[in-house]
């Protein structure tokens, strides 16, 4: 995959996440602040960094510099997921 074609899916996913976040913020003001506060906890950041490094190392051979974009996206998503409080029923 060439550089531009490899980056297009990353841009589309990032745009969808920004739109989803904006809609959530309009519905319930303050939700973005809560999400990013929990995503910047030590455990969440460590998980995101480890994931980003793993994606970069394994993807560099195939995708080249586009692997960095994918690594940043997956690292941010992992940090967001790890930072979420567990569902309590």
């Amino acid at each position: 995959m060439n550089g531009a074609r490899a980056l297009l899916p990353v841009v589309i996913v990032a745009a969808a996440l920004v739109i989803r976040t904006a809609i959530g913020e309009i519905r319930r003001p303050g939700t973005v602040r809560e999400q990013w506060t929990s995503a910047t906890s030590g455990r969440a950041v460590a998980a995101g960094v480890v994931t980003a490094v793993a994606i970069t190392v394994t993807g560099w051979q195939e995708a080249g510099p586009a692997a960095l974009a994918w690594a940043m996206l997956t690292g941010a998503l992992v940090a967001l997921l790890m930072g979420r409080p567990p569902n309590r029923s």
Side-chain angles (χ1 to χ4, degrees):
M1 230 180 191
N2 66 13
R5 281 188 16 206
L7 290 178
L8 185 60
V10 176
V11 172
I12 292 170
V13 170
L17 289 172
V18 168
I19 292 168
R20 179 178 169 261
T21 302
I23 291 171
E25 185 67 17
I26 290 170
R27 288 184 181 163
R28 280 189 26 208
T31 56
V32 173
R33 188 176 305 131
E34 292 171 10
Q35 286 177 353
W36 282 104
T37 299
S38 62
T40 56
S41 70
R43 182 174 151 232
V45 170
V49 168
V50 167
T51 303
V53 169
I55 295 291
T56 302
V57 169
T58 58
W60 188 266
Q61 184 82 16
E62 182 68 30
L68 292 175
W70 282 105
M72 289 173 49
L73 178 63
T74 55
L77 290 174
V78 167
L80 279 171
L81 290 174
M82 291 293 290
R84 284 186 177 175
N87 290 338
R88 296 195 176 142
S89 305

Coordinates of all heavy atoms in Angstrom, one line a residue:
M1 N 0.8 -1.2 0.0 CA 0.0 0.0 0.0 C 0.9 1.2 0.0 O 1.8 1.3 0.8 CB -0.8 0.0 1.3 CG -2.3 0.2 1.1 SD -3.1 0.1 2.7 CE -4.7 0.0 2.0
N2 N 0.5 2.2 -0.9 CA 1.3 3.4 -0.9 C 0.9 4.3 0.3 O -0.1 4.1 0.9 CB 1.3 4.1 -2.2 CG -0.1 4.6 -2.5 OD1 -1.0 4.7 -1.7 ND2 -0.3 5.0 -3.8
G3 N 1.7 5.4 0.5 CA 1.5 6.2 1.7 C 0.1 6.8 1.8 O -0.5 6.8 2.8
A4 N -0.4 7.4 0.7 CA -1.7 8.1 0.7 C -2.8 7.2 1.0 O -3.7 7.4 1.7 CB -1.9 8.9 -0.5
R5 N -2.8 6.0 0.3 CA -3.9 5.0 0.4 C -3.8 4.4 1.8 O -4.8 4.0 2.4 CB -3.7 4.0 -0.6 CG -4.3 4.4 -1.9 CD -4.4 3.3 -3.0 NE -4.3 2.0 -2.5 CZ -3.8 1.0 -3.1 NH1 -3.4 1.1 -4.4 NH2 -3.8 -0.3 -2.6
A6 N -2.7 4.3 2.4 CA -2.5 3.7 3.7 C -3.0 4.6 4.8 O -3.5 4.2 5.9 CB -1.1 3.3 4.0
L7 N -2.9 5.9 4.6 CA -3.4 6.9 5.6 C -4.8 7.3 5.5 O -5.4 7.7 6.5 CB -2.5 8.2 5.4 CG -1.1 8.1 5.8 CD1 -0.4 9.4 5.6 CD2 -1.0 7.6 7.3
L8 N -5.5 7.0 4.4 CA -6.9 7.4 4.3 C -7.8 6.7 5.3 O -8.6 7.4 5.9 CB -7.4 7.1 2.8 CG -8.8 7.6 2.5 CD1 -8.9 9.1 2.7 CD2 -9.2 7.2 1.1
P9 N -7.7 5.4 5.6 CA -8.5 4.8 6.6 C -8.3 5.4 8.0 O -9.2 5.6 8.8 CB -8.2 3.4 6.6 CG -7.6 3.1 5.3 CD -6.9 4.4 4.9
V10 N -7.1 5.8 8.3 CA -6.7 6.4 9.6 C -7.5 7.8 9.7 O -8.1 8.1 10.7 CB -5.2 6.6 9.8 CG1 -4.9 7.3 11.0 CG2 -4.5 5.3 9.7
V11 N -7.4 8.5 8.6 CA -8.1 9.8 8.6 C -9.6 9.7 8.8 O -10.2 10.4 9.5 CB -7.7 10.6 7.4 CG1 -8.5 11.9 7.2 CG2 -6.2 10.9 7.3
I12 N -10.2 8.7 8.1 CA -11.6 8.5 8.2 C -12.0 8.1 9.6 O -13.0 8.6 10.2 CB -12.0 7.4 7.2 CG1 -11.9 8.0 5.8 CG2 -13.5 7.0 7.4 CD1 -12.1 7.0 4.6
V13 N -11.3 7.2 10.2 CA -11.6 6.7 11.6 C -11.4 7.9 12.6 O -12.3 8.1 13.4 CB -10.7 5.5 12.0 CG1 -10.8 5.2 13.4 CG2 -11.1 4.3 11.1
A14 N -10.4 8.6 12.4 CA -10.1 9.8 13.3 C -11.3 10.8 13.2 O -11.8 11.3 14.2 CB -8.8 10.4 13.0
A15 N -11.7 11.1 12.0 CA -12.8 12.0 11.7 C -14.1 11.5 12.4 O -14.9 12.2 13.0 CB -13.0 12.3 10.3
A16 N -14.4 10.2 12.2 CA -15.6 9.6 12.8 C -15.5 9.7 14.3 O -16.6 10.0 15.0 CB -15.7 8.1 12.4
L17 N -14.4 9.5 14.9 CA -14.3 9.6 16.4 C -14.4 11.1 16.8 O -15.1 11.3 17.9 CB -12.9 9.1 16.8 CG -12.7 7.6 16.7 CD1 -11.3 7.2 17.0 CD2 -13.7 6.9 17.7
V18 N -13.9 12.0 16.1 CA -14.1 13.4 16.4 C -15.6 13.8 16.3 O -16.1 14.5 17.2 CB -13.3 14.3 15.5 CG1 -13.7 15.8 15.7 CG2 -11.8 14.1 15.9
I19 N -16.3 13.3 15.3 CA -17.7 13.6 15.2 C -18.5 13.0 16.3 O -19.4 13.6 16.9 CB -18.2 13.2 13.8 CG1 -17.6 14.0 12.7 CG2 -19.7 13.2 13.7 CD1 -17.8 13.5 11.3
R20 N -18.2 11.7 16.6 CA -18.9 11.0 17.7 C -18.6 11.8 19.0 O -19.6 11.9 19.8 CB -18.3 9.6 17.8 CG -19.0 8.8 18.9 CD -18.4 7.4 18.9 NE -18.8 6.7 20.1 CZ -18.0 6.5 21.2 NH1 -16.8 7.0 21.2 NH2 -18.5 5.9 22.2
T21 N -17.4 12.2 19.3 CA -17.1 13.0 20.5 C -17.9 14.3 20.5 O -18.4 14.6 21.6 CB -15.6 13.2 20.6 OG1 -14.9 12.0 20.5 CG2 -15.2 14.0 21.8
A22 N -18.0 15.0 19.4 CA -18.7 16.2 19.4 C -20.2 16.0 19.7 O -20.8 16.8 20.4 CB -18.5 16.9 18.0
I23 N -20.8 15.0 19.1 CA -22.2 14.7 19.3 C -22.4 14.4 20.8 O -23.4 14.8 21.4 CB -22.7 13.6 18.4 CG1 -22.7 14.2 17.0 CG2 -24.1 13.1 18.8 CD1 -23.0 13.1 15.9
G24 N -21.5 13.6 21.4 CA -21.6 13.2 22.8 C -21.5 14.4 23.7 O -22.2 14.6 24.7
E25 N -20.7 15.4 23.3 CA -20.5 16.6 24.1 C -21.7 17.5 24.0 O -22.1 18.1 25.0 CB -19.2 17.3 23.7 CG -18.9 18.5 24.5 CD -18.5 18.2 25.9 OE1 -18.1 17.1 26.2 OE2 -18.5 19.2 26.7
I26 N -22.3 17.5 22.8 CA -23.5 18.3 22.7 C -24.7 17.8 23.5 O -25.4 18.5 24.2 CB -23.9 18.4 21.2 CG1 -22.9 19.3 20.4 CG2 -25.3 19.0 21.0 CD1 -23.1 19.2 18.9
R27 N -24.8 16.4 23.5 CA -25.8 15.8 24.3 C -25.6 15.9 25.8 O -26.6 16.2 26.6 CB -25.9 14.3 23.9 CG -26.5 14.1 22.6 CD -26.7 12.6 22.3 NE -27.2 12.4 21.0 CZ -27.1 11.3 20.3 NH1 -26.6 10.2 20.9 NH2 -27.6 11.2 19.1
R28 N -24.4 15.7 26.3 CA -24.1 15.8 27.7 C -22.8 16.6 27.9 O -21.7 16.0 27.8 CB -23.9 14.4 28.3 CG -25.2 13.7 28.6 CD -25.0 12.4 29.4 NE -23.7 12.4 30.2 CZ -23.1 11.3 30.5 NH1 -23.5 10.1 30.1 NH2 -22.0 11.3 31.3
P29 N -22.9 17.9 28.1 CA -21.6 18.7 28.3 C -20.8 18.1 29.4 O -21.3 17.7 30.5 CB -22.2 20.1 28.6 CG -23.6 20.1 28.0 CD -24.1 18.7 28.2
G30 N -19.5 18.1 29.2 CA -18.5 17.7 30.2 C -18.1 16.2 30.0 O -17.1 15.8 30.7
T31 N -18.7 15.5 29.1 CA -18.3 14.1 28.9 C -16.9 13.9 28.3 O -16.2 13.0 28.7 CB -19.3 13.3 28.0 OG1 -19.4 14.0 26.8 CG2 -20.7 13.2 28.7
V32 N -16.5 14.8 27.4 CA -15.2 14.7 26.8 C -14.1 14.9 27.9 O -13.1 14.2 27.9 CB -15.1 15.7 25.7 CG1 -13.6 15.8 25.1 CG2 -16.0 15.4 24.6
R33 N -14.3 15.9 28.7 CA -13.4 16.1 29.8 C -13.2 14.9 30.7 O -12.1 14.5 31.1 CB -13.8 17.3 30.6 CG -12.8 17.8 31.6 CD -13.2 19.0 32.4 NE -13.5 20.1 31.5 CZ -14.6 20.8 31.5 NH1 -15.5 20.6 32.5 NH2 -14.9 21.8 30.7
E34 N -14.3 14.3 31.0 CA -14.3 13.0 31.8 C -13.5 11.9 31.1 O -12.7 11.3 31.7 CB -15.7 12.6 32.1 CG -16.5 13.4 33.1 CD -17.9 13.0 33.2 OE1 -18.3 11.9 32.7 OE2 -18.7 13.8 33.7
Q35 N -13.8 11.7 29.8 CA -13.1 10.7 29.1 C -11.6 10.9 29.0 O -10.9 10.0 29.2 CB -13.7 10.6 27.7 CG -15.1 10.0 27.6 CD -15.6 10.0 26.2 OE1 -15.0 10.6 25.3 NE2 -16.7 9.4 26.0
W36 N -11.2 12.1 28.7 CA -9.8 12.4 28.5 C -9.1 12.4 29.9 O -7.9 12.1 29.9 CB -9.5 13.7 27.7 CG -9.7 13.4 26.3 CD1 -10.8 13.8 25.5 CD2 -8.9 12.7 25.4 NE1 -10.7 13.3 24.2 CE2 -9.5 12.6 24.2 CE3 -7.7 12.0 25.6 CZ2 -8.9 12.0 23.1 CZ3 -7.1 11.4 24.5 CH2 -7.7 11.3 23.3
T37 N -9.8 12.8 30.9 CA -9.1 12.7 32.2 C -8.8 11.3 32.6 O -7.7 11.0 33.1 CB -10.0 13.4 33.3 OG1 -10.3 14.7 33.0 CG2 -9.4 13.3 34.7
S38 N -9.7 10.4 32.4 CA -9.5 9.0 32.7 C -8.5 8.4 31.7 O -7.7 7.5 32.1 CB -10.8 8.2 32.7 OG -11.4 8.2 31.4
A39 N -8.4 8.9 30.5 CA -7.5 8.3 29.5 C -6.1 8.7 29.7 O -5.1 8.1 29.2 CB -7.9 8.7 28.1
T40 N -5.9 9.7 30.6 CA -4.5 10.2 30.9 C -4.0 9.6 32.2 O -3.0 10.1 32.7 CB -4.4 11.7 30.9 OG1 -5.4 12.2 31.8 CG2 -4.7 12.3 29.5
S41 N -4.7 8.7 32.7 CA -4.2 8.0 34.0 C -2.9 7.2 33.6 O -2.7 6.9 32.4 CB -5.2 7.1 34.6 OG -5.4 6.0 33.7
G42 N -2.1 6.9 34.6 CA -0.8 6.2 34.3 C -1.0 4.9 33.6 O -0.3 4.6 32.7
R43 N -2.0 4.1 34.1 CA -2.2 2.8 33.5 C -2.7 2.9 32.1 O -2.2 2.1 31.2 CB -3.3 2.1 34.3 CG -3.6 0.7 33.9 CD -4.5 0.1 34.9 NE -5.3 -0.9 34.2 CZ -6.6 -1.0 34.2 NH1 -7.3 -0.2 35.0 NH2 -7.3 -1.9 33.5
A44 N -3.6 3.8 31.8 CA -4.1 4.0 30.4 C -3.0 4.5 29.5 O -2.9 4.0 28.3 CB -5.2 4.9 30.4
V45 N -2.2 5.4 29.9 CA -1.1 5.9 29.0 C -0.1 4.8 28.8 O 0.4 4.7 27.6 CB -0.4 7.2 29.7 CG1 0.8 7.6 29.0 CG2 -1.4 8.3 29.7
A46 N 0.3 4.1 29.8 CA 1.3 3.0 29.6 C 0.7 2.0 28.6 O 1.5 1.5 27.7 CB 1.6 2.3 30.9
A47 N -0.5 1.6 28.7 CA -1.1 0.6 27.8 C -1.1 1.2 26.4 O -0.8 0.5 25.4 CB -2.5 0.3 28.2
G48 N -1.4 2.5 26.2 CA -1.5 3.1 24.9 C -0.1 3.2 24.3 O 0.1 2.9 23.1
V49 N 0.9 3.5 25.1 CA 2.3 3.6 24.6 C 2.8 2.2 24.2 O 3.4 2.1 23.1 CB 3.2 4.2 25.6 CG1 4.7 4.1 25.2 CG2 2.9 5.7 25.8
V50 N 2.6 1.2 25.0 CA 3.0 -0.1 24.6 C 2.4 -0.6 23.3 O 3.0 -1.2 22.5 CB 2.7 -1.1 25.8 CG1 2.9 -2.6 25.4 CG2 3.6 -0.8 27.0
T51 N 1.1 -0.3 23.2 CA 0.4 -0.7 22.0 C 0.9 0.0 20.8 O 1.1 -0.6 19.7 CB -1.1 -0.4 22.1 OG1 -1.6 -1.1 23.2 CG2 -1.9 -0.8 20.9
A52 N 1.1 1.3 20.9 CA 1.7 2.1 19.8 C 3.1 1.6 19.4 O 3.3 1.5 18.2 CB 1.7 3.6 20.2
V53 N 3.9 1.3 20.3 CA 5.2 0.8 20.0 C 5.1 -0.5 19.3 O 5.8 -0.8 18.3 CB 6.1 0.7 21.3 CG1 7.4 -0.1 21.0 CG2 6.4 2.1 21.8
A54 N 4.3 -1.4 19.8 CA 4.1 -2.7 19.2 C 3.6 -2.6 17.7 O 4.1 -3.3 16.8 CB 3.1 -3.6 20.0
I55 N 2.6 -1.7 17.5 CA 2.1 -1.5 16.2 C 3.2 -1.0 15.2 O 3.3 -1.4 14.1 CB 0.9 -0.6 16.2 CG1 -0.3 -1.2 16.9 CG2 0.4 -0.2 14.8 CD1 -0.9 -2.4 16.3
T56 N 4.0 0.0 15.7 CA 5.0 0.6 14.9 C 6.1 -0.5 14.5 O 6.5 -0.6 13.4 CB 5.7 1.8 15.6 OG1 4.7 2.7 16.0 CG2 6.7 2.4 14.8
V57 N 6.5 -1.2 15.5 CA 7.5 -2.2 15.3 C 7.1 -3.3 14.3 O 7.8 -3.6 13.3 CB 8.0 -2.9 16.6 CG1 8.9 -4.1 16.4 CG2 8.7 -1.8 17.4
T58 N 5.9 -3.8 14.5 CA 5.4 -4.8 13.6 C 4.9 -4.3 12.3 O 5.0 -5.0 11.3 CB 4.2 -5.6 14.3 OG1 3.2 -4.8 14.6 CG2 4.7 -6.3 15.5
G59 N 4.4 -3.1 12.2 CA 3.9 -2.6 10.9 C 4.8 -1.8 10.1 O 4.5 -1.6 8.9
W60 N 6.0 -1.5 10.6 CA 7.0 -0.6 9.8 C 7.4 -1.3 8.5 O 7.5 -0.7 7.5 CB 8.2 -0.3 10.7 CG 9.0 0.7 10.0 CD1 10.1 0.5 9.2 CD2 8.8 2.1 10.0 NE1 10.6 1.6 8.8 CE2 9.9 2.7 9.2 CE3 7.9 3.0 10.6 CZ2 10.0 4.0 9.0 CZ3 8.0 4.3 10.4 CH2 9.1 4.9 9.6
Q61 N 7.7 -2.6 8.6 CA 8.1 -3.4 7.4 C 7.1 -3.3 6.3 O 7.5 -3.2 5.2 CB 8.4 -4.8 7.8 CG 9.0 -5.7 6.7 CD 10.5 -5.5 6.6 OE1 11.1 -5.0 7.5 NE2 11.0 -5.9 5.5
E62 N 5.9 -3.5 6.6 CA 4.8 -3.5 5.6 C 4.3 -2.1 5.2 O 4.2 -1.9 4.0 CB 3.6 -4.3 6.2 CG 2.5 -4.4 5.2 CD 2.8 -5.3 4.0 OE1 3.6 -6.2 4.2 OE2 2.3 -5.1 2.9
A63 N 4.1 -1.2 6.2 CA 3.4 0.1 5.8 C 4.4 1.2 5.9 O 4.0 2.3 5.4 CB 2.3 0.3 6.8
G64 N 5.6 1.1 6.4 CA 6.5 2.2 6.4 C 6.0 3.3 7.4 O 5.5 3.0 8.4
P65 N 6.2 4.5 7.0 CA 5.8 5.6 7.9 C 4.3 5.7 8.2 O 3.9 6.2 9.2 CB 6.2 6.9 7.1 CG 7.2 6.5 6.2 CD 6.9 5.0 5.8
A66 N 3.4 5.1 7.4 CA 2.0 5.0 7.7 C 1.7 4.2 8.9 O 0.7 4.4 9.6 CB 1.3 4.4 6.5
A67 N 2.7 3.3 9.3 CA 2.5 2.6 10.5 C 2.5 3.5 11.8 O 1.8 3.2 12.8 CB 3.6 1.6 10.7
L68 N 3.2 4.6 11.7 CA 3.1 5.6 12.8 C 1.7 6.2 13.0 O 1.3 6.3 14.1 CB 4.1 6.7 12.6 CG 5.6 6.3 12.6 CD1 6.5 7.5 12.2 CD2 5.9 5.8 14.0
A69 N 1.0 6.5 11.9 CA -0.3 7.0 12.0 C -1.2 5.9 12.7 O -2.1 6.2 13.5 CB -0.9 7.4 10.7
W70 N -1.1 4.7 12.2 CA -1.9 3.6 12.8 C -1.6 3.4 14.2 O -2.5 3.2 15.1 CB -1.7 2.3 12.0 CG -2.5 2.3 10.7 CD1 -2.0 2.5 9.4 CD2 -3.9 2.2 10.5 NE1 -3.0 2.4 8.5 CE2 -4.2 2.2 9.1 CE3 -5.0 2.0 11.4 CZ2 -5.4 2.1 8.6 CZ3 -6.2 1.9 10.9 CH2 -6.5 1.9 9.5
A71 N -0.3 3.5 14.6 CA 0.1 3.3 15.9 C -0.4 4.4 16.8 O -0.9 4.1 18.0 CB 1.6 3.3 16.0
M72 N -0.4 5.6 16.4 CA -1.0 6.7 17.2 C -2.5 6.5 17.4 O -3.0 6.7 18.5 CB -0.6 8.0 16.6 CG 0.8 8.4 16.6 SD 1.3 9.9 15.7 CE 0.1 11.1 16.2
L73 N -3.2 6.2 16.4 CA -4.6 5.9 16.5 C -4.9 4.8 17.4 O -5.7 4.9 18.4 CB -5.2 5.7 15.1 CG -6.7 5.4 15.1 CD1 -7.5 6.6 15.6 CD2 -7.2 5.0 13.7
T74 N -4.3 3.7 17.3 CA -4.6 2.5 18.1 C -4.1 2.8 19.6 O -4.8 2.4 20.5 CB -3.9 1.2 17.6 OG1 -2.5 1.5 17.5 CG2 -4.5 0.8 16.4
G75 N -3.0 3.5 19.7 CA -2.5 3.8 21.1 C -3.5 4.7 21.8 O -3.8 4.5 23.0
A76 N -4.1 5.7 21.1 CA -5.1 6.6 21.7 C -6.4 5.8 22.0 O -7.0 6.0 23.1 CB -5.4 7.7 20.8
L77 N -6.8 4.9 21.2 CA -8.0 4.1 21.4 C -7.8 3.2 22.6 O -8.7 3.1 23.5 CB -8.4 3.3 20.2 CG -8.9 4.2 19.0 CD1 -9.1 3.3 17.8 CD2 -10.2 4.9 19.4
V78 N -6.7 2.6 22.7 CA -6.4 1.7 23.8 C -6.4 2.5 25.1 O -6.9 2.1 26.2 CB -5.1 0.9 23.6 CG1 -4.6 0.3 24.9 CG2 -5.2 -0.1 22.5
A79 N -5.8 3.7 25.1 CA -5.7 4.5 26.3 C -7.1 4.9 26.7 O -7.5 4.9 27.9 CB -4.9 5.8 26.1
L80 N -8.0 5.3 25.8 CA -9.4 5.6 26.1 C -10.1 4.4 26.7 O -10.8 4.6 27.7 CB -10.1 6.1 24.8 CG -9.9 7.5 24.4 CD1 -10.5 7.8 23.1 CD2 -10.5 8.5 25.5
L81 N -9.9 3.2 26.1 CA -10.6 2.1 26.6 C -10.1 1.6 28.0 O -10.9 1.2 28.9 CB -10.5 0.9 25.6 CG -11.2 1.1 24.3 CD1 -10.9 -0.1 23.4 CD2 -12.7 1.1 24.6
M82 N -8.8 1.7 28.2 CA -8.2 1.4 29.5 C -8.6 2.3 30.6 O -8.7 2.0 31.8 CB -6.7 1.3 29.4 CG -6.2 0.1 28.6 SD -6.5 -1.5 29.3 CE -5.5 -1.5 30.7
G83 N -8.8 3.6 30.2 CA -9.1 4.6 31.2 C -10.6 4.6 31.6 O -11.0 5.2 32.6
R84 N -11.4 3.9 30.9 CA -12.9 3.8 31.3 C -13.0 3.1 32.6 O -12.4 2.0 32.8 CB -13.7 3.1 30.2 CG -13.9 3.9 29.0 CD -14.8 3.2 28.1 NE -15.2 4.0 26.9 CZ -15.9 3.5 25.9 NH1 -16.3 2.3 25.9 NH2 -16.1 4.3 24.9
P85 N -13.9 3.6 33.4 CA -14.2 2.9 34.6 C -15.0 1.6 34.3 O -15.8 1.6 33.3 CB -15.1 3.8 35.5 CG -15.6 4.8 34.5 CD -14.6 4.9 33.3
P86 N -14.8 0.5 35.1 CA -15.6 -0.7 34.8 C -17.1 -0.5 35.0 O -17.5 0.3 35.8 CB -15.0 -1.7 35.8 CG -14.4 -0.9 36.8 CD -14.0 0.4 36.2
N87 N -17.9 -1.2 34.2 CA -19.3 -1.1 34.3 C -19.7 -1.9 35.6 O -19.3 -3.0 35.8 CB -20.0 -1.8 33.1 CG -19.9 -0.9 31.9 OD1 -19.6 0.3 32.0 ND2 -20.1 -1.6 30.7
R88 N -20.5 -1.2 36.4 CA -21.0 -1.9 37.6 C -22.5 -2.0 37.6 O -23.2 -1.1 37.4 CB -20.6 -1.0 38.8 CG -19.1 -0.9 38.9 CD -18.6 -0.4 40.2 NE -17.2 -0.5 40.3 CZ -16.4 0.4 40.8 NH1 -17.0 1.4 41.4 NH2 -15.1 0.3 40.8
S89 N -22.9 -3.2 37.7 CA -24.3 -3.5 37.6 C -25.0 -3.4 39.0 O -24.5 -3.8 40.0 CB -24.6 -4.9 37.0 OG -23.9 -5.0 35.8

